[in-house]
Amino acid sequence: HDEQFAYTVTARDPEEGPLTYTLLDGPAGLAFDIDTNQLIWTHAGTAPYPTGSHAIRIGVIDERGAITE
């Protein structure tokens, strides 16, 4: 069966402008929903399930084009 992990990404622009998020890197099966700002990781299949630490990089861009990770 499928196992799913979801996490809502949040950031704040000091000038209160709109932000755009993008997934730069992550493990297989990880996706980013731009409508909900959620990282969604679905493991389809059978055990063994991925365990341990996994590096994820998310970029955040403000309306002036400044980016941070």
Side-chain angles (χ1 to χ4, degrees):
H1 65 74
D2 293 350
E3 294 287 326
Q4 188 176 66
F5 166 83
Y7 177 80
T8 302
V9 177
T10 60
R12 184 176 135 340
D13 181 8
E15 288 83 30
E16 301 298 326
L19 298 173
T20 302
Y21 300 85
T22 185
L23 178 61
L24 301 174
D25 191 31
L30 183 68
F32 188 76
D33 184 327
I34 60 172
D35 295 323
T36 63
N37 291 343
Q38 280 196 327
L39 283 171
I40 301 170
W41 191 12
T42 302
H43 174 75
T46 60
Y49 299 105
T51 59
S53 298
H54 301 277
I56 297 170
R57 291 178 45 229
I58 299 168
V60 182
I61 306 166
D62 73 8
E63 63 188 344
R64 289 180 302 287
I67 186 169
T68 190
E69 293 182 26

